[in-house]
Amino acid sequence: MSDFIALLQYRTTQEGGRKTPAFSKYRPQIKFDFDEMQTSGEQTFIDKDTVYPGEEVKATIRLAGVIYFRGRLAEGMLFEFREGPRVIGTGKILEILNDTLKIDH
């Protein structure tokens, strides 16, 4: 089950993003500003299978660390997605699907 829907903005290669496209079901690390903890977040793209550097896409996100983020997320919240220490894009939560993650659940 997916945890939330997000709008993802992939950085261009010149901005330090990927050199190659990402495919649906891609699993970079996700990091929120409020914590140093990172978790794997599987991105399932909506209406496309491939995203190129510099592109924007809506996706459902499935977190590996759901228990850790219980009661800590809100719609409109921003996050980074990374490959190791390198930020390859940013995201914004549009809709939380897993109610246990909501701050006001």
Side-chain angles (χ1 to χ4, degrees), residues 35-65:
D35 203 303
E36 286 305 307
M37 168 77 170
Q38 295 183 47
T39 188
S40 175
E42 183 179 83
Q43 302 176 351
T44 302
F45 304 145
I46 297 172
D47 297 331
K48 55 169 64 177
D49 294 322
T50 307
V51 177
Y52 293 88
E55 286 189 338
E56 186 176 82
V57 65
K58 281 186 182 177
T60 60
I61 309 293
R62 186 170 57 89
L63 298 176

Side-chain angles (χ1 to χ4, degrees), residues 63-76:
L63 298 176
V66 170
I67 292 169
Y68 184 82
F69 291 103
R70 180 177 297 159
R72 301 183 79 190
L73 303 184
E75 290 170 3

